[in-house]
């Protein structure tokens, strides 16, 4: 039962009961609320920092483990990315050395680092185990590839002459994939419209455009003809080791029989001589007397994407120009 308070009233000379005022009520409410708030905060502190449930203990242990292992995993990821970048750089250098052109850059992809580092303990352990296995697999593969390349792909001095004999240059100036009109294999003859075997490739260009030697070699045949059939004006170059290239339907011929030429040297100009329906170069690559697909040799100056497009264009069965 609450105590009743009295005060002495000098006017009435009596003790009278104390009346509650708005101020007193407000002060009382503030006091109660303050005490309640402090009591609640105390309970929260005791609950969170003194009393721990088994679940809280497990979560605190998990957070401590994640905080430690995330630093280790971030270091491993950085090291893996560094080694991958080193391998890519070496691979690009090898590509440029072999094909004398820069490789087309790949589209960058997210490495998933943030997803890994934000994973829970179970997923994080899975990622850690997976990355560790991939890292070991990558290291073993790189070691094996380097060893295999060193054993099998090394070039001895005696092989340099043979490699130089391969006609790998583009046979016209300012070559572009779109200039390839007709490829090697079964095509439609422009005169009788029947199918026949096209022994080379047809490359379109404006009349008078420069025709270039596909590789280093010696001119073994220079032929000029006014007949409206056959190869017309053409040049044959012997590159050694059984390789020979033929350049047909020329307008002008700028080399002589027996002349040594360098890869990319001008040997003539585009024309329509012989059996040709439009200005173009018919280009043949011959090995030991057998015609081969010139697309297999036209690598120099093209990146992987351009060469892939060249192959796709060459496969189209269409009408040739000769």
């Amino acid at each position: 039962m609450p105590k009743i308070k009295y005060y002495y009233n000098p006017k009435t000379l009596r003790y009278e009961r104390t009346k509650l005022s708005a101020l007193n009520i407000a002060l009382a409410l503030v006091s109660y609320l303050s005490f309640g708030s402090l009591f609640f905060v105390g309970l929260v502190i005791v609950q969170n920092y003194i009393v721990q449930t088994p679940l809280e203990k497990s979560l605190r242990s998990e957070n401590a483990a994640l905080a430690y292992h995330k630093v280790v995993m971030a270091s491993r990821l950085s090291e893996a990315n560094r080694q991958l970048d080193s391998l890519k750089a070496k691979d690009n250098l090898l590509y440029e050395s072999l094909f004398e052109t820069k490789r087309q850059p790949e589209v960058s992809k997210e490495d998933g680092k943030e997803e890994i580092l934000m994973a829970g303990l179970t997923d994080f352990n899975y990622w850690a185990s997976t990355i560790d296995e991939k890292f070991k697999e990558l290291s073993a593969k790189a070691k094996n590839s380097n060893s295999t390349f060193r054993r099998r792909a090394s070039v001895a001095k005696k092989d340099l002459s043979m490699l130089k004999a391969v006609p790998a240059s583009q046979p016209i100036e300012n070559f572009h994939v779109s200039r390839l009109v007709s490829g090697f294999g079964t095509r439609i003859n422009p005169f009788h419209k029947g199918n026949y075997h096209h022994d080379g490739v047809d490359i379109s260009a404006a009349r008078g455009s420069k025709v270039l030697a596909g590789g280093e070699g010696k001119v073994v045949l220079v032929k000029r003809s006014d007949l409206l059939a056959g190869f017309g004006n053409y040049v044959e170059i012997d590159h050694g080791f059984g390789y020979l290239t033929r350049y047909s339907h020329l307008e002008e011929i700028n080399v002589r029989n027996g002349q040594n030429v360098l890869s990319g040297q001008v040997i003539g100009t585009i024309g329509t001589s012989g059996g040709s329906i439009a200005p173009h170069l018919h280009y043949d690559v011959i090995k030991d007397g057998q015609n081969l697909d010139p697309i297999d040799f036209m690598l120099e100056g093209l990146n992987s994407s351009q060469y892939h497009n060249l192959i796709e264009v060459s496969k189209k069965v269409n009408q040739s120009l000769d």
Side-chain angles (χ1 to χ4, degrees):
M1 181 175 178
K3 294 181 179 181
I4 301 174
K5 293 183 180 182
Y6 295 87
Y7 75 100
Y8 180 74
N9 188 344
K11 291 181 180 181
T12 62
L13 301 176
R14 297 177 59 184
Y15 284 95
E16 296 180 0
R17 190 171 183 175
T18 304
K19 296 179 180 179
L20 294 176
S21 65
L23 179 60
N24 291 334
I25 295 174
L27 291 174
L29 288 175
V30 170
S31 299
Y32 291 143
L33 289 174
S34 298
F35 176 78
S37 300
L38 291 173
F39 183 76
F40 178 76
V41 171
L43 285 178
V44 171
I45 292 175
V46 170
Q47 174 68 24
N48 290 341
Y49 295 97
I50 299 178
V51 179
Q52 293 186 11
T53 65
L55 177 59
E56 287 177 329
K57 290 181 180 180
S58 175
L59 290 176
R60 290 183 188 278
S61 177
E62 177 181 328
N63 288 337
L66 287 175
Y68 171 76
H69 288 292
K70 282 182 179 180
V71 176
V72 177
M73 183 56 65
S75 176
R76 293 294 300 274
L77 285 173
S78 297
E79 176 64 17
N81 287 331
R82 187 190 66 79
Q83 293 205 18
L84 283 173
D85 291 339
S86 176
L87 289 174
K88 287 180 181 179
K90 292 179 180 178
D91 186 50
N92 289 335
L93 180 61
L94 177 61
Y95 183 92
E96 293 174 12
S97 298
L98 289 176
F99 300 106
E100 297 185 359
T101 184
K102 290 186 177 296
R103 170 173 282 177
Q104 187 175 21
E106 299 179 356
V107 178
S108 61
K109 298 180 180 180
E110 296 293 333
D111 57 9
K113 180 177 178 180
E114 293 301 325
E115 179 184 356
I116 296 172
L117 296 181
M118 294 302 294
L121 181 60
T122 303
D123 293 336
F124 186 83
N125 288 335
Y126 168 77
W127 278 110
S129 176
T130 302
I131 290 176
D132 188 61
E133 292 177 2
K134 291 292 185 181
F135 187 78
K136 292 178 180 178
E137 180 183 345
L138 176 63
S139 298
K141 185 176 181 180
K143 181 178 180 181
N144 181 65
S145 298
N146 290 339
S147 176
T148 302
F149 183 81
R150 183 171 60 254
R151 292 196 313 269
R152 300 183 180 181
S154 59
V155 179
K157 290 184 178 180
K158 62 182 180 64
D159 299 323
L160 290 177
S161 298
M162 182 181 68
L163 290 175
K164 291 174 66 176
V166 177
S169 297
Q170 309 302 335
I172 70 168
E173 191 175 48
N174 299 323
F175 176 80
H176 188 270
V177 175
S178 61
R179 292 186 179 276
L180 182 67
V181 176
S182 187
F184 179 88
T186 302
R187 295 294 184 271
I188 301 173
N189 188 283
F191 298 104
H192 57 68
K193 304 302 180 182
N195 290 339
Y196 80 116
H197 191 275
H198 195 223
D199 290 334
V201 295
D202 290 342
I203 303 173
S204 66
R207 185 190 297 270
S209 299
K210 295 178 181 178
V211 175
L212 313 177
E216 181 179 330
K218 182 178 181 179
V219 178
V220 293
L221 181 62
V222 172
K223 182 70 174 180
R224 292 179 173 85
S225 174
D226 294 329
L227 296 177
L228 299 180
F231 296 133
N233 300 330
Y234 68 96
V235 172
E236 290 184 356
I237 299 176
D238 185 356
H239 303 278
F241 295 90
Y243 287 103
L244 184 139
T245 52
R246 180 185 297 126
Y247 311 80
S248 305
H249 309 301
L250 303 178
E251 180 170 293
E252 296 181 0
I253 297 177
N254 302 115
V255 292
R256 64 183 184 280
N257 196 14
Q259 179 179 344
N260 292 321
V261 294
L262 300 176
S263 178
Q265 181 175 334
V266 178
I267 61 172
T269 59
I270 295 290
T272 56
S273 60
S276 171
I277 63 172
H280 77 286
L281 170 69
H282 177 87
Y283 180 55
D284 291 309
V285 175
I286 303 168
K287 177 72 163 65
D288 297 326
Q290 181 177 356
N291 282 78
L292 304 178
D293 189 348
I295 298 300
D296 295 336
F297 299 85
M298 296 169 60
L299 298 170
E300 188 172 315
L302 300 179
N303 58 40
S304 58
S305 178
Q306 292 171 329
Y307 184 66
H308 176 75
N309 291 338
L310 185 66
I311 292 176
E312 292 301 313
V313 172
S314 72
K315 292 179 179 178
K316 294 180 181 180
V317 179
N318 53 11
Q319 179 177 287
S320 66
L321 298 181
D322 49 36

